[in-house]
């Protein structure tokens, strides 16, 4: 799992679970940028926006680590 820090939480991403449905990139494009490195840019949104979008990931590839 790769992790991306945001304030007192981290966003976790497991590439092998990701089905590339791009819900994250469509839902919160200022953070989830599949063409950029790093592809998750947590500084561009609030913690709550990120938590809400992570909850919509259909595969469980994204998670919030407290
Ligand atoms: S929403 Fe989840 S499964 Fe879809 S591209 Fe993003 S991380 Fe991958």
């Amino acid at each position: 799992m790769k992790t991306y820090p945001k304030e007192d939480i981290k966003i976790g991403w497991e590439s092998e679970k990701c089905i590339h449905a791009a819900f994250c990139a469509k839902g919160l494009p200022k953070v989830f940028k599949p063409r950029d490195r790093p592809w998750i840019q947590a500084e561009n949104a609030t913690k709550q926006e990120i938590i809400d979008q992570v909850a919509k990931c259909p595969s469980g590839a994204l998670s919030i680590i407290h």
Side-chain angles (χ1 to χ4, degrees), residues 13 18-24 39 57-59 61-62:
W13 183 62
C18 179
I19 55 171
H20 302 290
F23 285 104
C24 54
W39 84 276
C57 174
S59 68
L62 290 172

Side-chain angles (χ1 to χ4, degrees), residues 7-49:
E7 298 173 19
D8 57 342
I9 61 167
K10 286 181 190 153
I11 305 159
W13 183 62
E14 293 172 82
S15 61
E16 63 277 12
K17 282 192 188 170
C18 179
I19 55 171
H20 302 290
F23 285 104
C24 54
K26 285 183 191 143
L28 200 55
K30 57 193 176 180
V31 170
F32 297 99
K33 302 175 179 244
R35 293 188 184 155
D36 289 5
R37 293 293 176 272
W39 84 276
I40 297 178
Q41 298 178 9
E43 67 274 20
N44 293 335
T46 66
K47 189 168 96 174
Q48 193 59 51
E49 283 179 293

